[in-house]
Amino acid sequence: MNDNEPRPVTIITGRVFRTKGGKSEGVHIFLVAPDDDSAVRTALDALAKEGYAEAELDQIGELDGAPDEEPHASAYQGALEGEVSIVTFEEDI
């Protein structure tokens, strides 16, 4: 990748817990990072700052384009602007 090219938006999926052993929520984290290791570290730091006690991260990948639906479209835009965007949702378990 050329240093002048914008980096793709990374998405990390998994579950987060407000308290250890507590109820889980699904999570999608959007950010721009130079590599997967940096993306995971940055995501975990952002989750800790938001008060999450635990996280189980399942998958990491790059998005090919902007999502069409909210709140993911706004999270994608936030990532392009340098934010770590966290989308949580109730899991269907």
Side-chain angles (χ1 to χ4, degrees):
M1 173 179 280
N2 183 333
D3 286 340
N4 295 327
E5 293 179 27
R7 295 194 187 278
V9 172
T10 298
I11 182 171
I12 302 173
T13 64
R15 279 164 305 294
V16 291
F17 305 82
R18 286 277 180 194
T19 59
K20 290 189 181 223
K23 185 177 187 290
S24 69
E25 298 175 81
V27 68
H28 293 162
I29 306 163
F30 295 77
L31 68 151
V32 174
D35 56 57
D36 288 355
D37 288 339
S38 296
V40 169
R41 279 193 303 276
T42 301
L44 290 173
D45 287 346
L47 290 168
K49 286 179 185 172
E50 290 297 317
Y52 291 98
E54 293 183 310
E56 294 176 358
L57 304 179
D58 296 328
Q59 294 184 335
I60 187 169
E62 295 177 354
L63 293 172
D64 291 333
D68 294 327
E69 296 183 21
E70 292 297 343
H72 293 89
S74 294
Y76 181 90
Q77 185 60 41
L80 289 176
E81 295 170 4
E83 299 173 7
V84 177
S85 300
I86 301 169
V87 176
T88 57
F89 51 92
E90 285 192 32
E91 294 184 289
D92 295 329
I93 301 177

